[in-house]
Amino acid sequence: MRVYNDVIVEKIVAKHLTAKDKLCRVIFVILAVLAIFLINFIPLLFGIIYLMLLTVSLSFGIGFLCYLMVSGIVKEYEYSVVNDEFSVDVISGKKRRSNLFSGSIREFDMIAKINDEMHPVSEFEKGALRAYCASGINKENEWYIAAKMETQKVLVIIEPDERFLTAFFRYNPRNTMYRPTSKPNSKPVAKQNIKSKKED
């Protein structure tokens, strides 16, 4: 009988909205309201009533564009491990999804905490594209992955839990600065069921 031992791990991390993000949302809404007001007020001001149909269509277009821009500020990052493949997708507005990074864990140059003094992230920053894929709430939980996508160096900042770190260690123990408390493939030992015999 063939035994399948696939590793499948998934997690979604929501990006924390900063003060800058909230300010951008307010600005987008204000600009959209002003634009809709102007394009509808000008035809009325000059008595060009037949342009009202066009201005109404433009108003819907501006409103929809504003919705896309405001909802696009809300982002989530989905991490997934399927055997030795790790990928990060960005989800904008809880609808639009695009792949941000994917690669084989076996080929990662380094996996370490962002504040690891023994393996500083600065050693891998030169010439690398940086992708920040964490919530931004707690820097202590952030790790970095130094890898390559084709010929381009990349530096991916993530916020993994123990399941991901265990998977990283399983497929790339040499370059993973994490040691699981138990072996990834270890199975719990069943307790022996000992029945006492009644004495006659």
Side-chain angles (χ1 to χ4, degrees):
M1 183 178 67
R2 186 176 179 180
V3 179
Y4 294 92
N5 194 21
D6 292 338
V7 176
I8 300 176
V9 185
E10 293 181 342
K11 178 184 179 180
I12 292 181
V13 175
K15 180 180 179 294
H16 177 67
L17 290 179
T18 63
K20 182 180 178 180
D21 294 330
K22 295 176 181 178
L23 179 61
C24 288
R25 295 175 71 176
V26 173
I27 292 175
F28 289 153
V29 172
I30 292 175
L31 291 177
V33 171
L34 288 176
I36 292 173
F37 173 77
L38 287 175
I39 64 174
N40 285 278
F41 177 74
I42 291 176
L44 292 176
L45 181 64
F46 292 97
I48 312 176
I49 306 300
Y50 62 87
L51 288 180
M52 289 299 297
L53 182 61
L54 176 62
T55 57
V56 170
S57 300
L58 288 175
S59 298
F60 277 108
I62 293 173
F64 182 69
L65 180 62
C66 177
Y67 165 76
L68 291 178
M69 297 181 71
V70 170
S71 62
I73 296 176
V74 179
K75 293 182 179 180
E76 295 175 324
Y77 301 103
E78 184 180 66
Y79 312 150
S80 64
V81 170
V82 179
N83 294 327
D84 69 324
E85 289 292 323
F86 174 71
S87 64
V88 179
D89 289 352
V90 57
I91 306 171
S92 301
K94 297 186 179 295
K95 292 182 179 180
R96 301 182 299 278
R97 175 191 295 266
S98 59
N99 180 256
L100 196 62
F101 171 81
S102 61
S104 173
I105 299 172
R106 302 179 192 273
E107 298 176 359
F108 291 171
D109 297 325
M110 181 59 65
I111 305 168
K113 295 200 74 169
I114 198 71
N115 56 1
D116 191 332
E117 296 181 356
M118 297 293 294
H119 307 87
V121 65
S122 58
E123 293 183 358
F124 302 92
E125 286 182 324
K126 186 177 180 180
L129 293 177
R130 188 183 181 98
Y132 189 82
C133 307
S135 66
I137 298 176
N138 190 351
K139 298 293 183 181
E140 294 295 325
N141 296 332
E142 293 180 2
W143 289 63
Y144 73 87
I145 296 175
K148 289 182 180 178
M149 293 184 68
E150 297 181 354
T151 59
Q152 176 62 55
K153 293 181 179 180
V154 293
L155 196 64
V156 185
I157 312 300
I158 61 173
E159 198 171 330
D161 55 31
E162 190 172 354
R163 299 172 303 155
F164 285 89
L165 297 174
T166 301
F168 294 157
F169 176 79
R170 175 176 181 175
Y171 293 108
N172 194 341
R174 181 177 181 180
N175 295 330
T176 301
M177 300 302 108
Y178 168 82
R179 294 297 177 266
T181 54
S182 60
K183 294 182 179 180
N185 292 329
S186 62
K187 296 181 180 179
V189 179
K191 295 182 179 180
Q192 294 182 352
N193 187 11
I194 303 175
K195 295 182 179 180
S196 60
K197 295 182 179 180
K198 294 183 179 180
E199 296 181 0
D200 295 337

